[in-house]
Amino acid sequence: MGYRILADATVVVHFAFLGYVVSGGFLAWRHPRMIWPHLLAAAWGLAIVVTAVDCPLTLLENWAREQGGQPRLTHGFIDTYLQGAVYPARYTRLLQLLAAGCVLVSWSVPMRRRLEARRAGDPHPGRPHHGHS
């Protein structure tokens, strides 16, 4: 029973991670330092899409499923839970491009602020200013 709960929890975490990859950069609009964890998450998401790297969350889910007496996923996470269930497979590339577009748009504001701050002579944009008066 515990392994099935772990498998289900892994699915929830996986969905949350995908949501973060697509939209987490928007957090940096309010919290500039959040751009760095999002950069890592987006890089990992890109690596998963363009290479044959196995996602550790999928590996964990498969292990928990096996331990709980359930079958392993026959395909990857997206193929199993999204493609064909949420959207037709023929739209996969379009949705990948839209997700990449969301990431790039989300990075535009923090990067613009960073450039403006550098032009204004602020060596550490996004950090609190402790000016002495």
Side-chain angles (χ1 to χ4, degrees):
M1 171 92 166
Y3 290 111
R4 290 181 182 193
I5 292 171
L6 177 59
D8 291 344
T10 304
V11 171
V12 170
V13 170
H14 219 148
F15 273 115
F17 180 76
L18 287 177
Y20 182 68
V21 167
V22 173
S23 61
F26 292 104
L27 291 172
W29 290 21
R30 176 118 171 114
H31 307 285
R33 291 182 182 166
M34 291 302 296
I35 197 71
W36 300 112
H38 187 255
L39 177 65
L40 293 173
W44 179 253
L46 180 64
I48 293 294
V49 169
V50 299
T51 68
V53 174
D54 290 328
C55 178
L57 290 171
T58 303
L59 296 174
L60 176 61
E61 181 184 352
N62 279 330
W63 177 82
R65 287 171 150 277
E66 286 179 335
Q67 299 304 309
Q70 296 176 310
R72 295 173 53 92
L73 299 178
T74 56
H75 301 290
F77 177 84
I78 291 175
D79 298 336
T80 300
Y81 295 108
L82 296 173
Q83 188 175 304
V86 175
Y87 61 87
R90 68 180 178 271
Y91 293 124
T92 298
R93 182 62 61 198
L94 173 63
L95 290 172
Q96 288 171 339
L97 292 172
L98 288 173
C102 284
V103 169
L104 293 175
V105 166
S106 75
W107 289 351
S108 66
V109 169
M111 291 303 131
R112 188 189 81 231
R113 287 179 183 161
R114 188 173 200 84
L115 289 171
E116 288 171 356
R118 285 205 175 153
R119 285 187 195 128
D122 181 359
H124 303 290
R127 290 188 184 172
H129 297 282
H130 300 292
H132 299 283
S133 322

